[in-house]
Amino acid sequence: MEMQKKKIEIYDTTLRDGSQGESVFFTLQDKIKIAEKLDEYGFDFIEGGWPGSNPKDLLFFQRMPAKKFSRSKLVAFGSTCRKSVVPEQDRNLRYLVESGAEYITIFGKSWDLHVEQVLRTALEENVRLIRDSIRFLIRQGKHVFFDAEHFFDGYRRNPSYAMETLLAAQDGGAERIILCDTNGGSLPHDVEEAVRQVRKHINVPIGIHTHNDSGLAVANTLAAVNAGAVQVHGTINGFGERCGNADLTTIIPVLQLKMGYACLDEGKLAHLTGLSRYVFEVANIVPPGTQPFVGMSAFTHKGGVHVDAVGKNPETYEHINPEAVGNQRRVLISELSGKSTILQKLRKYDIASKPDLIKKILDMVGELENEGYQFEAAEGSFDLMVRRALGKYRELFRVEGFRVIVEERGNRVVSEATVKVKVGKQVEHTASEGNGPVNALDNALRKALVKFYPCLGNLKLTDYKVRILHPEKATGAVTRVLIESADDTSTWGTIGLSENIIEASWHALVDSFEYKLLKDNNL
Ligand SMILES: [Zn+2]
């Protein structure tokens, strides 16, 4: 029997700290959707927001009673009571009590500099605020966690005072004490040492909350776990103020796959990439390809030697199996990687025993690359091309024609597209508007096909790139359009080339729809 793995509690603060990120904006509905998703994955704690700080967070707690979660505990966040006030009379604490959340995290100062210069109160008064606020919330029937803000900075300057604030939290009855690297400037060995020292004086289980200002949020978190921290705070995709919070999509796989801890519910890690993309999607942010574990490029191979080696044994250039985190291996086609890349890419088509076919495809790729096609990021179009060459292409719809008009109406410019497609014997003629000509074409094509193929409902265009080839020919130059598409489980690129930018876009668009349909129908 497998030994019981040690549990690390995962505390997500995407909805509170994460929403402080410069390009992150969540509506109330977004927050509810993300919270439900995190519950599905088995996150232990979901920090929903700071009900005292803004009306949206207040509403969130009204809409999201803790009982709606099947697995996670909802946490409300706030500060200790104000100086010279008793907790019973503090408005902030009252909001926390009324939030309905069973769990409350309150933050307090553990750096003397902040107490004296920001809070502008006596050091003893700050200790009282911490202890009394926690006691008060416990009397109201809450479970209380204490975030020791700026702990590591405070501990460096005045260790005995920093420790005194933690002792006050312990004395007050906090169930977890979370050490925060609020400014993100600490180093892993200092964090590890500080956590060890704290554990000598404090009996309450320790948590860690780090920011990424030195690029060390993940490393600092792991250092704290090494020293005995049992609760990890972070955000999905590392969203957060300045350089972001500790990225849980990196920390969780490291803890589970490399350090042997248990974090998420059984089987959920294998869908982590889906969670990461879901949160990007809701936040309307294009995911950075290089994100560890869950990024589009995390298991992408381009160089010929690498591709060749990965084909022989993936372990040669992959630190884990991409499927362990729900990601996938991608092999890019490019001149750089040459023949072996294409051969690797062709493996799944089962044609190893047909050298003539392989040669035919290699020649085709070469010719198309000369014209300006580039299949590196266009695996969808590549797949369609190979299917055609192999006689395995299935036509699920046929384009009979399209038209786009762009006109000024009043003081706004409107794009309208009409497409005519044939599915089986049925002809569909649809029109749709869009915020630009390509968007209008996308909408019209979708509208025409979705009744035949409902799976198109989750198809999304995530990126659109235009490159002018041979710009010396000015407006007669060739335009290359690359479209990136995604659905709930995968992403793919398609390409179109033409002297006409609309036509190039249209080809890339149609390829994307075709690829999606063939993929979803297992054809
Ligand atoms: Zn923070």
Side-chain angles (χ1 to χ4, degrees):
M1 212 183 90
E2 205 185 330
M3 236 175 41
Q4 186 74 36
K5 286 179 179 158
K6 191 167 179 242
K7 167 78 183 160
I8 296 289
E9 296 170 352
I10 304 295
Y11 182 111
D12 179 276
T13 180
T14 307
L15 303 177
R16 201 270 306 168
D17 233 4
S19 71
Q20 299 299 313
E22 187 175 344
S23 49
V24 180
F25 179 81
F26 295 130
T27 63
L28 176 60
Q29 203 47 45
D30 292 342
K31 292 188 68 164
I32 292 172
K33 279 188 338 206
I34 291 174
E36 285 168 347
K37 193 59 115 185
L38 294 171
D39 179 43
E40 232 177 78
Y41 274 75
F43 281 70
D44 298 285
F45 299 98
I46 301 171
E47 194 175 76
W50 183 347
S53 72
N54 67 76
K56 186 165 69 191
D57 284 7
L58 206 56
L59 265 175
F60 175 83
F61 283 98
Q62 286 169 10
R63 297 268 181 89
M64 202 80 212
K67 60 178 187 291
K68 269 186 83 178
F69 286 137
S70 62
R71 168 71 173 76
S72 306
K73 301 271 189 274
L74 182 64
V75 187
F77 177 86
S79 66
T80 56
C81 75
R82 285 162 301 147
K83 61 179 177 184
S84 333
V85 170
V86 289
E88 287 74 8
Q89 279 158 15
D90 189 80
R91 203 172 55 102
N92 222 329
L93 290 180
R94 205 178 61 230
Y95 276 126
L96 289 174
V97 171
E98 289 167 2
S99 72
E102 265 179 273
Y103 284 79
I104 308 286
T105 294
I106 55 169
F107 73 93
K109 308 268 180 213
S110 51
W111 184 2
D112 56 359
L113 175 93
H114 264 265
V115 179
E116 284 164 340
Q117 297 188 9
V118 181
L119 203 56
R120 299 205 168 147
T121 190
L123 295 180
E124 317 75 81
E125 168 66 352
N126 177 55
V127 168
R128 176 193 76 86
L129 299 179
I130 294 170
R131 192 186 47 236
D132 288 1
S133 301
I134 295 172
R135 276 191 185 150
F136 167 75
L137 289 169
I138 290 173
R139 279 202 304 276
Q140 308 297 315
K142 306 291 186 184
H143 297 276
V144 183
F145 296 166
F146 178 67
D147 264 5
E149 200 192 15
H150 294 109
F151 173 77
F152 296 98
D153 294 311
Y155 184 74
R156 237 185 341 267
R157 268 82 158 193
N158 187 346
S160 66
Y161 183 70
M163 202 64 83
E164 201 183 327
T165 62
L166 304 188
L167 286 165
Q170 171 168 281
D171 195 26
E175 291 177 30
R176 300 282 182 276
I177 291 177
I178 298 96
L179 309 179
C180 303
D181 187 27
T182 311
N183 293 357
S186 298
L187 302 178
H189 46 267
D190 293 332
V191 168
E192 188 158 349
E193 179 54 23
V195 174
R196 282 194 208 288
Q197 290 306 322
V198 167
R199 291 191 62 228
K200 287 185 188 157
H201 298 92
I202 300 287
N203 304 317
V204 176
I206 297 300
I208 179 76
H209 177 118
T210 62
H211 282 258
N212 202 34
D213 300 73
S214 307
L216 293 169
V218 169
N220 284 336
T221 301
L222 299 177
V225 170
N226 240 358
V230 295
Q231 183 177 90
V232 162
H233 288 209
T235 62
I236 303 300
N237 301 326
F239 286 176
E241 216 169 339
R242 306 187 307 274
C243 311
N245 283 60
D247 188 346
L248 290 175
T249 68
T250 303
I251 291 171
I252 293 171
V254 172
L255 288 176
Q256 289 198 195
L257 298 174
K258 294 171 189 269
M259 292 171 76
Y261 290 104
C263 301
L264 299 183
D265 282 352
E266 193 70 33
K268 295 301 184 187
L269 184 64
H271 301 282
L272 189 69
T273 301
L275 175 65
S276 159
R277 304 226 169 119
Y278 179 81
V279 173
F280 274 124
E281 185 62 44
V282 174
N284 199 18
I285 293 174
V286 178
T290 51
Q291 197 179 8
F293 296 97
V294 296
M296 174 100 158
S297 306
F299 302 95
T300 298
H301 305 283
K302 182 172 177 179
V305 180
H306 292 203
V307 171
D308 189 45
V310 166
K312 290 170 179 148
N313 177 359
E315 223 181 309
T316 52
Y317 284 97
E318 286 175 356
H319 67 124
I320 60 156
N321 179 352
E323 280 154 27
V325 291
N327 209 337
Q328 60 195 34
R329 176 174 311 130
R330 288 164 68 234
V331 171
L332 301 180
I333 319 282
S334 78
E335 294 150 77
L336 186 72
S337 50
K339 218 172 110 183
S340 70
T341 306
I342 297 168
L343 293 178
Q344 162 73 10
K345 197 108 192 168
L346 287 174
R347 277 188 173 206
K348 65 172 182 184
Y349 301 96
D350 211 19
I351 50 168
S353 59
K354 297 172 184 156
D356 292 354
L357 261 178
I358 293 174
K359 185 173 181 316
K360 182 175 154 193
I361 292 168
L362 286 173
D363 290 348
M364 246 163 62
V365 172
E367 254 167 60
L368 289 166
E369 283 189 344
N370 281 339
E371 281 174 40
Y373 279 87
Q374 204 187 48
F375 292 103
E376 214 162 77
E379 57 269 52
S381 295
F382 179 80
D383 180 74
L384 293 170
M385 183 192 71
V386 174
R387 285 166 185 273
R388 287 196 175 95
L390 303 181
K392 284 188 171 169
Y393 170 76
R394 278 272 306 276
E395 188 180 69
L396 295 175
F397 65 93
R398 173 177 296 179
V399 175
E400 305 256 284
F402 73 85
R403 189 176 67 172
V404 194
I405 50 169
V406 179
E407 65 175 346
E408 196 174 55
R409 285 182 206 156
N411 55 5
R412 67 185 195 114
V413 175
V414 181
S415 302
E416 192 183 291
T418 317
V419 305
K420 197 170 162 190
V421 293
K422 206 170 165 187
V423 180
K425 290 199 163 69
Q426 221 169 317
V427 176
E428 277 295 318
H429 204 159
T430 342
S432 194
E433 288 191 353
N435 55 25
V438 179
N439 181 238
L441 282 166
D442 176 22
N443 291 339
L445 186 58
R446 196 177 290 257
K447 204 160 136 189
L449 293 174
V450 79
K451 64 184 78 157
F452 303 101
Y453 303 113
C455 70
L456 290 173
N458 69 358
L459 167 66
K460 287 197 179 77
L461 306 192
T462 52
D463 202 8
Y464 173 79
K465 284 194 199 88
V466 176
R467 170 72 61 87
I468 309 297
L469 309 175
H470 316 298
E472 67 281 4
K473 291 186 190 159
T475 50
V478 172
T479 302
R480 178 170 69 204
V481 169
L482 268 169
I483 287 180
E484 206 177 281
S485 310
D487 57 20
D488 300 337
T489 54
S490 52
T491 55
W492 62 93
T494 50
I495 188 168
L497 220 74
S498 165
E499 285 177 14
N500 180 320
I501 183 171
I502 300 291
E503 191 191 2
S505 307
W506 175 248
H507 288 316
L509 194 63
V510 170
D511 270 12
S512 173
F513 277 64
E514 285 206 277
Y515 178 78
K516 158 83 173 156
L517 291 176
L518 291 168
K519 173 178 82 74
D520 282 13
N521 290 288
N522 288 318
L523 292 169

